[in-house]
Amino acid sequence: MDILPIGEATRRLRADRELLLTRVEGRGEEELTAEYRVDSGPLGDFCASLHDLVAHVLMWDEINLAVLSEAAAGRAHWSLDARWETPDAGRILNRAGVEAGREIPSELLLHRLGAVHDAVLAEFGRIEPSGAALAQRVWTVPGRPAYWHAAIHLGRLPEASS
């Protein structure tokens, strides 16, 4: 697998979040929590609404941001331990992240998504070339092109992505 330049990674992350924000924009709490079918990923994902999808994407962005922050400090994040890198552990994290997100009002969840996205982009601005492989590893849904997440679940993955 070729490692994408950080500029392309950043472009994809921005485009992915824009797809998600466009889908939720202007919808109230009732619409966001109403039943909404999204495409499941390889680990199920447990999303039954747009609110759930926001919680799911947000959880993984928070984990992945912590991976990069820990790496910058010379430490390995817990999620990189082999015990967490199994399909069962991934399903548990997906289910727990979505369920926890259901307890948060959509307005606050979307605020948190924006803050985390800004932090991710800032962290990407500091990534050394040697850190690009780790970033790509954690921001790749298994079997899918790197740096796309919401687009996969919304069925909007760009055809030209590799």
Side-chain angles (χ1 to χ4, degrees), residues 6 13 19 25 41 47 61 72 74-75 85 91 95 115 117 120 131 138 147:
I6 291 298
L13 286 173
L19 284 170
E25 190 174 57
C47 297
D61 279 357
R75 296 183 296 265
E85 294 227 337
R91 279 189 281 280
R95 184 174 29 256
H117 183 63
V120 166
V138 299
Y147 300 105

Side-chain angles (χ1 to χ4, degrees), residues 86-105:
T86 68
D88 285 341
R91 279 189 281 280
I92 290 166
L93 286 170
N94 284 340
R95 184 174 29 256
V98 168
E99 288 176 6
R102 289 178 180 156
E103 299 297 318
I104 301 170

Side-chain angles (χ1 to χ4, degrees), residues 80-156:
L80 300 177
D81 184 283
R83 293 173 286 186
W84 289 99
E85 294 227 337
T86 68
D88 285 341
R91 279 189 281 280
I92 290 166
L93 286 170
N94 284 340
R95 184 174 29 256
V98 168
E99 288 176 6
R102 289 178 180 156
E103 299 297 318
I104 301 170
S106 296
E107 179 183 352
L108 292 176
L109 199 64
L110 289 167
H111 174 262
R112 190 167 129 199
L113 179 72
V116 169
H117 183 63
D118 290 347
V120 166
L121 294 178
E123 192 65 32
F124 268 57
R126 291 188 284 276
I127 290 179
E128 298 292 327
S130 61
L134 177 61
Q136 186 162 319
R137 174 182 167 203
V138 299
W139 259 284
T140 300
V141 174
R144 304 295 174 87
Y147 300 105
W148 296 105
H149 194 170
I152 292 167
H153 294 300
L154 294 169
R156 299 287 311 273

Side-chain angles (χ1 to χ4, degrees), residues 46-89:
F46 310 98
C47 297
S49 68
L50 286 171
H51 182 99
D52 287 355
L53 180 59
V54 170
H56 170 73
V57 169
L58 175 58
M59 178 199 71
W60 284 110
D61 279 357
E62 288 176 325
I63 289 172
N64 295 342
L65 176 60
V67 166
L68 296 183
S69 297
E70 287 294 288
R75 296 183 296 265
H77 188 263
W78 59 262
S79 68
L80 300 177
D81 184 283
R83 293 173 286 186
W84 289 99
E85 294 227 337
T86 68
D88 285 341

